[in-house]
Amino acid sequence: MIEALACGTPVAAYPVTGPIDVLDDRVGAMHEDLDTAIATALTRDSVTCAAYAARYSWPASARQFLHALVPLEGKLMAA
């Protein structure tokens, strides 16, 4: 999905885990009927899709990962 968005291609998907976690109404469409999702996704702006995907870049992903790390504070890990 992110690769498609990065290329400016809107995403049509079923409303399940994965698409629900990534997409919003600006860059894609989710529906139980995939034909409906496709028709709706085709109305999305390609520039908006590409800009939205930029938040999933490697640097952005690394920042998110580093932010989630928690120090062990005095705990020893067994090897």
Side-chain angles (χ1 to χ4, degrees), residues 2 5-6 47-61 63:
I2 306 225
L5 292 170
V47 173
T48 302
C49 292
Y52 183 87
R55 61 187 239 186
Y56 294 99
S57 67
W58 281 111
S61 296
R63 279 191 301 277

Side-chain angles (χ1 to χ4, degrees), residues 1-27:
M1 287 182 295
I2 306 225
E3 291 87 352
L5 292 170
C7 293
T9 304
V11 175
Y14 292 107
V16 296
T17 303
I20 288 174
D21 299 324
V22 174
L23 299 177
D24 72 18
D25 290 337
R26 296 172 293 153
V27 298

Side-chain angles (χ1 to χ4, degrees), residues 28-48:
M30 293 176 279
H31 198 278
E32 292 295 336
D33 176 34
L34 199 51
D35 287 335
T36 299
I38 291 167
T40 304
L42 288 173
T43 67
R44 304 306 187 240
D45 178 64
S46 62
V47 173
T48 302

